[in-house]
Amino acid sequence: MNKRCNAEPRCSSGIFMRQTCEFCARVFCLTHWMAEAHGCGAAARRDARAKFVSGAYSRAANPAAEERRKALLHLKLDRTLGKMESSRKAKPPKKK
């Protein structure tokens, strides 16, 4: 079992908790486990973009469902605003 961090230049800390990078499959210490800290930043950005784009296109693939979702959100907002309006107290009229 590898007991040293694989970060370059060599990290001198021992590995208390093993963290494996999902992009390069190497083992790192808690200081270097993030992709940007050990050199896999470009791969992490590509992966994040791909996940974002696939989510954006999956919504646009079904426009009827998206319209229903928006309509339900508007109804919910209108109900919430109506409750807030009814719970407000009216200001007393000014006396002259």
Side-chain angles (χ1 to χ4, degrees), residues 4-15 17 19-21 24 26-40:
R4 287 280 179 218
C5 178
N6 287 313
E8 294 295 333
R10 261 311 165 203
C11 176
S12 61
S13 69
I15 298 178
M17 293 181 67
Q19 298 291 328
T20 305
C21 176
C24 65
R26 294 187 308 178
V27 178
F28 296 97
C29 65
L30 289 177
T31 305
H32 298 109
W33 74 273
M34 291 177 50
E36 293 82 5
H38 69 262
C40 287

Side-chain angles (χ1 to χ4, degrees), residues 15 17 47 49-50 61 86:
I15 298 178
M17 293 181 67
D47 184 57
R49 280 193 186 112
S86 64

